[in-house]
Amino acid sequence: MTSTASSTDTRQGQGVEEQRPSWQQRLRRFGYAAGPADDVRDRLVPAYTEPSPRLWAAIGLRPGAAARVVRWSAWGGPLLITLLAGLTRFWHLGSPKAVIFDETYYAKDAWALIHRGYEVNWAKNANDLILQSGGDVKIPSDAAYVVHPPVGKYVIGLGEWMFGFTPFGWRFMTAVLGTLSVLMLCRIGRRLFRSTFLGCLAGALMAVDGLHFVMSRTALLDQVLMFFVLAAFGCLVIDRDKVRERLAAALPEDDDGIVRPDAEVARNTRLGLRPWRLAAGLMLGLALGTKWNGLYILVAFGLMTVVWDVGSRRVAGARRPYLAVLKHDVGWAFLSTVPVAVATYLVSWIGWFRSATDGKGGYYRNWATAGGRTSEWSWLFPDWWRSLWHYETQVYDFHVGLHSPHPYQSNPWSWIVTGRPVSYFYESPLPGKDGCPTDAGGKCAREVLALGTPLLWWAAAFAVLYVLWRWLFRRDWRAGAIVCGIAAGYLPWFLYQERTIFFFYAVVFLPFLCLAVAMMIGAILGPPGSTERRRVMGAATAGVLVLLIAWNFIYFWPIYTGQAIPVDSWRSRMWLDTWV
C-alpha cells in the first residue's frame, strides 16, 4: 500500500511539471522562471512594492509616518522631479535669441497656421525682421508647400499666441510638453514596475538627458510627437490595469477566499467600455497629425494592446485566449484606435479645409476643382478629400525621395551610441561679448548641440540587451512593452537608411530607453529577498551609475544651453570626432 501511494505521488508530481507549456520547459535552461500559481488576483493586479521596514527603522520613522511618506511619494516624488525638469527647461528659454536650426520652418508655419489656417511663403529675410521687430511682421498670403501635418505646428503656435512671435513664445509649448513628459514617465514607470522608486528614476533619467533637454528648448516637431506617443503608451498601460481588475473581480473565490482561474469566466467576460483605449487612439491620432512616423507607433501599439488582452485572459484561465480575444476584444481594439486616430488626423486639417478654394487658400486646396481634374468616380469623394489625397501623395513622394546631403545627417545604426549629434546653433563671440569672458585669450564657442547625455545612452545600449533577454527568456511583459516602444520609434528608420535623417528623431523612443535603464538598475539593486550584502553592493553600483549620468549632464550643460565658453573648454567636450 505504501509503495503504491509513493508511486502515485511521484506520478502526480511529474504530471504537474508536464502540464507546463512546452515553451516554458524549453526556456528554463535560459533562466525562465514560471510565476507563482497561488491567488490569480495577485498576478492580474500586482501590489505596489514598498520600502523595507528596516529602512524606516534606520532613519527613525514610525510606522504611521512611514505610511504617510509612502502615500505622499506616489505623487510627491514625480512632482519634485518634474519641478527640477521644469526649472532647467524654462531657464533663459529665449536664449539664444535667434531662429535656430529648423525653427526657421516650424516657428513661422505655426504663426501662419493660427492666423491664416495654412502655411505661407515667407521672405528670405523674414527671420531677421521677426527678431528685430519682436514678431511684429506682416503675414504673407501666398500658400507654402509643407511636408508635415499641422498638429505639432498648432501646438507651437499656441505658445506664440500666448507670448508673442518671439523665441520664448515659439519654444514655450515644447518646454511645457518636455516638462510634462517627465511627470508622465515617472507615473508610467511607477505603474509599469509597481515601484515608485523605479518610476521616479526613469523620469529623473529623462530629466537629465541632453537630447530631451535641448528638444524641450527648441521649436521642433519631434518633441511634440514624443509627448503624444508617451501619452498613448500611458493610456494603454492604465487600460491594461483596468481590464485585469475587471477580470479579477469577475473570477470566483474558493472556500479559502483565494481567487482561482476559471476558463468559462476568462473566455466569456465582456470587458465593457474602455475609455483609456479611446484616449490612446486620440493621442495616436495627434501623434500621426504631428509627423507621419506616428503611423508605425499606431500599428505597434495596436498590436501590443491586443497581445496584452491575450495575456490577461490566459492568466484568468482561458484555455484558448487567442480565440476569446478574437471574439470579444480585437474588433473593439481596432475601433478604439484606428478610426479614432484617422478622424483626429482629419480634424487637424480643419484650417486647411476652411481656407479659400479659389486659389488663395491652402496649398493644393483647389487642386480637385482646378484644371478639370474630374473622373467618372469623382462623385464618390468630395473635392476637399480628393485635394487632400493628392497633397498627401505628393508629400509621401517627397519623404521617400529625400536624399539631399546634410552635414549633420546620420545613419540610425549610430543613434544608440550618439554617433552624430546635430548642431542647432553655433557662434564664435569675441572676448567681452555675448558672455565670452574678457580673459578668454581668443574667440569663444557658443553652441546648442542636440546630444544625448553620453553615459545615459551608452548605458541604454546595454539596457536594451537586458530588456530583450528579460522579454524573450523571462517572459516579462514589462520588458516586452519597453521593447515595443523602442522598436516602433527606432526600427522603421532602418527602412530609409539612404534618406536624409537625423539623430534627434530618436527623442521619440527616448522615454523607453530611460525605462529600460531604470529596469536594468532595478536588477542591479537586487531582487526581493536579496541578502543585505547583495543589496548594499547593488545600491552602491546603481548609485555610482546614476550620479555619473547626472554629472555628465551638468558637464555638457554649456553646449546644451548655448553658453559662451573658451574654445579649449568646448573642445574638451567633443569626446568623439563625429560630434564636431
Side-chain angles (χ1 to χ4, degrees), residues 50-61 63 66:
E50 294 185 5
S52 169
R54 289 182 298 176
L55 174 63
W56 305 128
I59 61 179
L61 269 185

Side-chain angles (χ1 to χ4, degrees), residues 321-502:
Y322 287 96
L323 188 60
V325 168
L326 182 63
K327 179 180 179 181
H328 295 296
D329 304 322
V330 168
W332 290 115
F334 176 84
L335 293 175
S336 299
T337 51
V338 177
V340 173
V342 171
T344 303
Y345 178 83
L346 291 176
V347 169
S348 72
W349 285 87
I350 190 68
W352 185 85
F353 293 146
R354 291 171 58 85
S355 66
T357 58
D358 59 359
K360 298 180 181 179
Y363 201 84
Y364 280 139
R365 180 63 185 88
N366 66 329
W367 179 87
T369 57
R373 293 186 179 92
T374 59
S375 70
E376 57 181 326
W377 302 104
S378 298
W379 62 274
L380 284 173
F381 304 100
D383 292 340
W384 63 264
W385 173 265
R386 293 192 293 124
S387 294
L388 181 61
W389 182 263
H390 176 73
Y391 195 170
E392 304 284 56
T393 59
Q394 296 300 303
V395 169
Y396 176 79
D397 291 340
F398 168 84
H399 282 306
V400 298
L402 181 60
H403 302 301
S404 303
H406 192 284
Y408 288 104
Q409 70 184 71
S410 60
N411 191 284
W413 287 104
S414 69
W415 291 359
I416 202 71
V417 293
T418 65
R420 183 59 171 165
V422 182
S423 180
Y424 287 172
F425 172 83
Y426 187 89
E427 283 184 350
S428 300
L430 294 171
K433 294 185 177 181
D434 294 329
C436 183
T438 55
D439 58 351
K443 290 184 177 181
C444 287
R446 189 177 178 217
E447 183 173 31
V448 176
L449 186 66
L451 168 71
T453 301
L455 294 183
L456 173 59
W457 283 74
W458 297 342
F462 292 97
V464 169
L465 297 177
Y466 170 72
V467 294
L468 276 170
W469 170 80
R470 185 90 189 178
W471 173 48
L472 292 173
F473 297 126
R474 299 299 296 270
R475 313 300 290 182
D476 192 323
W477 76 272
R478 302 167 302 173
I482 295 170
V483 169
C484 180
I486 296 172
Y490 189 21
L491 295 185
W493 292 112
F494 287 90
L495 302 174
Y496 305 100
Q497 294 186 62
E498 300 301 321
R499 185 185 182 276
T500 308
I501 53 180
F502 302 92

Side-chain angles (χ1 to χ4, degrees), residues 518-536:
M519 191 172 189
M520 181 178 71
I521 289 176
I524 292 173
L525 288 170
S530 298
T531 63
E532 188 170 346
R533 181 179 181 183
R534 169 69 178 83
R535 285 288 193 180
V536 170

Side-chain angles (χ1 to χ4, degrees), residues 77-162:
L79 287 174
L80 283 175
I81 292 169
T82 303
L83 177 62
L84 173 64
L87 289 174
T88 56
R89 279 150 181 76
F90 280 96
W91 181 83
H92 287 185
L93 182 60
S95 176
K97 188 180 179 181
V99 181
I100 65 175
F101 199 62
D102 280 355
E103 286 184 342
T104 189
Y105 305 115
Y106 305 128
K108 291 181 290 189
D109 286 348
W111 188 248
L113 270 176
I114 63 174
H115 285 87
R116 296 204 179 278
Y118 58 91
E119 298 88 341
V120 299
N121 282 313
W122 294 82
K124 291 184 178 180
N125 63 339
N127 291 349
D128 294 333
L129 293 175
I130 292 166
L131 294 172
Q132 293 169 6
S133 66
D136 186 15
V137 295
K138 183 180 179 180
I139 304 173
S141 58
D142 183 27
Y145 173 68
V146 297
V147 295
H148 292 299
V151 169
K153 289 168 279 189
Y154 274 123
V155 171
I156 294 170
L158 180 60
E160 294 174 333
W161 176 69
M162 291 188 290

Side-chain angles (χ1 to χ4, degrees), residues 148-201:
H148 292 299
V151 169
K153 289 168 279 189
Y154 274 123
V155 171
I156 294 170
L158 180 60
E160 294 174 333
W161 176 69
M162 291 188 290
F163 298 102
F165 197 19
T166 63
F168 180 86
W170 62 64
R171 295 169 191 161
F172 177 79
M173 283 306 298
T174 53
V176 169
L177 298 189
T179 302
L180 290 178
S181 66
V182 171
L183 176 61
M184 285 198 304
L185 189 61
C186 289
R187 293 290 296 177
I188 290 169
R190 178 180 183 272
R191 185 177 287 270
L192 195 71
F193 300 128
R194 287 302 197 261
S195 167
T196 299
F197 170 75
L198 290 182
C200 288
L201 176 61

